[in-house]
Amino acid sequence: DSATANAKAEILQALEDWRKSWEAEDLERHMALFSKQPTLKEPDGAKIPFEVWKNIKKRMFGNYKNVEVRLGVPVFTQSGDRWELSMDQTFHSDKMKTFGRKKLEFIREGSGWKIVKEEFVPTSPVAEKK
């Protein structure tokens, strides 16, 4: 249906903004794509507040330069008002190269889509230091 097609197109645009803002090392643009109410969780199940998540991302943005993020074809899964995208990701920077499975979960907030969950599960090699 057209609502589903529109949602997928909008989410793909948000995904592209996520990728480009990472590569541009534009933290503010990157964080604007995330919900202020993320459902990101610590390994013990505790929710991570937005400001804590932003600080984690800020450290990541500070640690890696010359970032290149390549994404495979995303697989969409809808669950109620949420969409999960799962795809292969190759992350390349001055210090590290990883390959694995990226999952981003989106929810509609206002007129756009925001990321409420981000996960990366590396496959071999886990991390290749340069």
Side-chain angles (χ1 to χ4, degrees):
D1 83 35
S2 66
T4 299
N6 287 345
K8 286 182 175 181
E10 290 170 8
I11 292 167
L12 285 174
Q13 185 59 56
L15 177 67
E16 185 62 6
D17 288 349
W18 174 88
R19 188 187 68 75
K20 284 182 174 173
S21 61
W22 226 134
E23 290 185 343
E25 298 169 32
D26 186 341
L27 181 66
E28 292 308 313
R29 185 173 139 209
H30 193 74
M31 292 310 298
L33 297 164
F34 286 84
S35 172
K36 298 287 188 280
Q37 304 295 323
T39 55
L40 300 153
K41 292 191 173 80
E42 297 279 8
D44 66 5
K47 284 193 178 183
I48 303 171
F50 179 79
E51 286 305 317
V52 173
W53 181 237
K54 185 173 181 177
N55 286 333
I56 292 167
K57 282 288 198 169
K58 191 174 189 176
R59 278 198 306 277
M60 290 170 75
F61 272 59
N63 285 342
Y64 303 112
K65 299 294 171 216
N66 306 318
V67 170
E68 182 184 346
V69 181
R70 276 186 257 145
L71 300 172
V73 177
V75 174
F76 284 84
T77 307
Q78 186 176 15
S79 176
D81 60 351
R82 293 171 183 254
W83 283 92
E84 183 183 270
L85 269 65
S86 175
M87 69 227 92
D88 289 338
Q89 173 186 291
T90 303
F91 177 91
H92 226 142
S93 77
D94 59 335
K95 295 180 184 167
M96 186 173 71
K97 181 178 182 182
T98 61
F99 176 79
R101 200 76 185 154
K102 171 63 78 177
K103 286 185 182 176
L104 292 167
E105 193 173 295
F106 290 84
I107 190 165
R108 185 175 281 288
E109 267 186 22
S111 62
W113 291 91
K114 297 289 185 183
I115 299 166
V116 290
K117 192 171 181 184
E118 178 177 350
E119 293 176 350
F120 178 72
V121 179
T123 52
S124 63
V126 171
E128 175 188 302
K129 300 280 183 197
K130 285 196 171 180

